[in-house]
Amino acid sequence: MSWLLENWFGSKESLEQVREEIHEHLQKEFYLGVSGIDHPEQSSNRIPSKELFLALHGPWENNLGEQEAELLQYIHDELPPVVRDEVGIVPFFTQVTQEGYLVLTYIRNATNRSVLLQRLPLALLTPDGEVAASKTFELISFGPIGDGSSRLCEFLFRWSEFDNIPEKEVPLTLVYRKPDKQAEEPGFAGGELTGAEQQKYSEKAAAFPVEKGKVDLQVLDITEGTNNGLKVVVLFRNGLNKRLEFTEVPIIVRDKEGDAVARVQYTLENMKVSPMGQRIWSFEIPATSIKKEGIKAADCTVFIPQAKQQKKENAAPEATQSKNYLQ
């Protein structure tokens, strides 16, 4: 019997017994709202879990035996159907460890595009609804989740991060704490930018004033990112007399030979740009998305094929590329 069967499901070895245990441990799936529909968990438009490809990356790829991998696939296939065009996170196992409270999940991408999660605010709730711990997880290094695929992901809440440590036997439920919508203000709004960076890029953006009737994206800079990745700073410009909401931004990075060394599709939430306004936002490209080694930001060009907004008729025109900047 594999160590996963032994540790997760005691001495129960039959598939029928394991199936019962899976559904006992399973928590409610929550959705990130990338489809734009209200209350996606209530949607009946769903895809069977078996239709998604389970990708075992990172520590799950090389440290599992055949039985463990088969068990993880079996658990995945036993999950309820996932809402179509959504990204869902379903916790399937929890464990109290010496370091903290561990939650194992499957992140299921039922959309037709790759999704890169940057920050994920989560919380642990007691049965009474009390918040035991809350934490924002940085997932840039996790890499993109391919379209129509699932990824294993573990979330560890360390004991020092708890506001209130309940008794050991009290079950905790993982929930998504959707960020509060930012109050829309004219001028610039920063994403992943420090105050100094915001000032720097605000001054640089002054060279690209909003043009009436024109909607476009301007790359202000590409720099070295965290953990050997890249960081792209983009200026969103809305020259229309109505507010626009951008939901997707695909970014392509080319090296000095002209080869595409990274292609990442970003899903945005609440990226609204005021009429005749502009916003600055930054995008982290993880090292796992860069196809070549030794890539330097100074040798790269950035290309944004198309920026999608909430309404298709307001879609931004295709941008063109230049050395390190978009014109």
Side-chain angles (χ1 to χ4, degrees), residues 140-250:
I140 284 293
S141 60
F142 189 69
I145 305 166
D147 57 292
S149 70
S150 299
R151 290 275 301 274
L152 273 164
C153 187
E154 61 180 38
F155 298 104
L156 176 65
F157 292 80
R158 300 188 181 278
W159 297 123
S160 59
E161 298 167 335
F162 272 68
D163 299 322
N164 176 33
I165 300 179
E167 298 295 330
K168 186 175 180 180
E169 62 273 9
V170 174
L172 298 176
T173 301
L174 187 71
V175 297
Y176 173 51
R177 306 194 76 178
K178 191 171 182 179
D180 295 333
K181 291 188 176 181
Q182 300 175 356
E184 187 178 356
E185 299 178 355
F188 303 102
E192 308 297 322
L193 294 176
T194 65
E197 288 176 323
Q198 186 64 38
Q199 179 64 31
K200 170 186 174 181
Y201 292 119
S202 294
E203 293 174 359
K204 184 174 288 189
F208 307 102
V210 176
E211 299 180 37
K212 188 171 183 179
K214 184 177 180 180
V215 177
D216 65 358
L217 275 66
Q218 190 87 15
V219 174
L220 297 178
D221 203 1
I222 176 171
T223 63
E224 306 298 330
T226 57
N227 298 322
N228 298 317
L230 296 171
K231 183 175 182 177
V232 178
V233 181
V234 178
L235 173 66
F236 292 73
R237 301 193 299 177
N238 175 19
L240 303 181
N241 292 321
K242 56 183 176 181
R243 187 181 67 175
L244 296 182
E245 180 172 0
F246 295 83
T247 59
E248 297 175 23
V249 174

Side-chain angles (χ1 to χ4, degrees), residues 22 278 319:
I22 290 171
Q278 52 189 359

Side-chain angles (χ1 to χ4, degrees), residues 67-79:
Q67 282 186 306
E68 284 82 6
E70 288 179 354
L71 175 61
L72 289 172
Q73 182 69 61
Y74 180 78
I75 295 173
H76 176 267
D77 293 346
E78 281 293 309
L79 297 177

Side-chain angles (χ1 to χ4, degrees), residues 8 25 83 89 93 105 110 164-165 171 187 198 211 213-214 217 220 236 238 247 255 268 285 289 292 295 301 320-321:
W8 292 1
H25 284 82
V83 173
I89 300 180
F93 181 74
T105 72
N164 176 33
I165 300 179
Q198 186 64 38
E211 299 180 37
K214 184 177 180 180
L217 275 66
L220 297 178
F236 292 73
N238 175 19
T247 59
D255 62 10
L268 303 176
I285 299 177
S289 296
K292 286 185 180 181
I295 294 298
T301 58
T320 57
Q321 72 167 2

